[in-house]
Amino acid sequence: GHETTAIALGYTFYLLGKHPEIAQRVRAELEGVLGGRRPTHSDVEELELTTRVVKESMRLYPPVWGIGRETLADYQIRGQTLKKGSQIGLFQWIVQRDARWYPDPEAFDPDRWLPARSQDLPRFAYFPFGGGPRVCIGNRFAMMEAVLLIALIGQRFHLELVSGEHLEFAPSITLRPKSGMRMRLVAMEPASRREP
């Protein structure tokens, strides 16, 4: 699971680099919740915005962008019969950008994951970890790990996109950036030494 989490973190920092106002909100949350100390597992629940940022990043850029399944029996769907043994492609990249579920689907909007805005989503309108009996066994650990790493890195560094950098993909089982993502890592002064 390290590759998918690393990819998710890369896209999250990419999106934060493109949206400095959201990055500033994340830094404010980190300061408010952590007060300069290192994040721990018990902080994840309070890092609500940071969690929404990771979820929204995985909605737009799911590390696994499509999965395949095979029917175990004949199955009727919308008047069509899928015969036993049919191969089906399920694409997070498409479903998670569908305007039926997500207003302004191409926009990076972590607040779409506020409970009042997300409670009516159909069950599989968002499935970056797959779903059903074959859901990723590490999904909760991966989310916790990603939130804690964003918090840990975000306390000490600001990541900026290198001028002219644009995103291209090399899709395989995972959705990797074709030529990486060049970003500038800028060290931030610890909160305890900042001017009031």
Side-chain angles (χ1 to χ4, degrees):
H2 67 277
E3 178 188 6
T4 49
T5 302
I7 291 170
L9 288 169
Y11 290 131
T12 301
F13 282 119
Y14 168 80
L15 287 164
L16 289 172
K18 290 186 71 72
H19 298 87
E21 70 288 354
I22 296 172
Q24 180 56 45
R25 287 175 57 202
V26 169
R27 283 192 294 278
E29 177 180 75
L30 298 178
E31 182 61 31
V33 172
L34 303 173
R37 66 175 171 76
R38 293 178 70 117
T40 67
H41 175 268
S42 61
D43 295 312
V44 172
E45 194 171 304
E46 289 188 63
L47 295 172
E48 296 173 3
L49 174 60
T50 307
T51 299
R52 291 194 313 271
V53 163
V54 173
K55 282 186 76 167
E56 180 69 350
S57 171
M58 289 195 306
R59 181 188 70 82
L60 286 168
Y61 300 108
V64 176
W65 60 283
I67 54 178
R69 295 292 184 257
E70 181 177 315
T71 58
L72 299 176
D74 289 357
Y75 186 77
Q76 289 284 324
I77 185 168
R78 294 189 175 211
Q80 300 293 317
T81 300
L82 297 174
K83 297 287 187 188
K84 178 181 177 179
S86 294
Q87 301 295 310
I88 302 168
L90 307 163
F91 295 94
Q92 293 95 323
W93 179 271
I94 296 169
V95 174
Q96 295 176 180
R97 291 171 178 256
D98 192 318
R100 290 177 294 177
W101 326 125
Y102 302 101
D104 197 9
E106 300 296 322
F108 178 57
D109 179 10
D111 290 338
R112 76 173 75 240
W113 296 105
L114 288 166
R117 291 181 60 193
S118 62
Q119 67 186 2
D120 294 329
L121 277 176
R123 182 174 177 202
F124 289 110
Y126 180 78
F127 62 112
F129 295 104
R134 288 182 175 69
V135 69
C136 174
I137 194 169
N139 61 349
R140 287 191 170 99
F141 177 79
M143 277 299 295
M144 177 201 62
E145 181 181 40
V147 169
L148 290 176
L149 285 166
I150 294 291
L152 188 62
I153 295 166
Q155 284 182 303
R156 298 185 57 207
F157 300 100
H158 170 70
L159 281 84
E160 300 172 349
L161 286 172
V162 171
S163 180
E165 187 71 9
H166 66 282
L167 196 54
E168 293 182 52
F169 302 105
S172 60
I173 292 173
T174 56
L175 184 66
R176 297 178 185 179
K178 185 175 183 179
S179 301
M181 277 184 270
R182 294 181 332 132
M183 299 189 79
R184 185 173 295 110
L185 191 66
V186 180
M188 295 180 4
E189 186 175 330
S192 61
R193 291 194 308 207
R194 290 186 206 142
E195 293 292 322

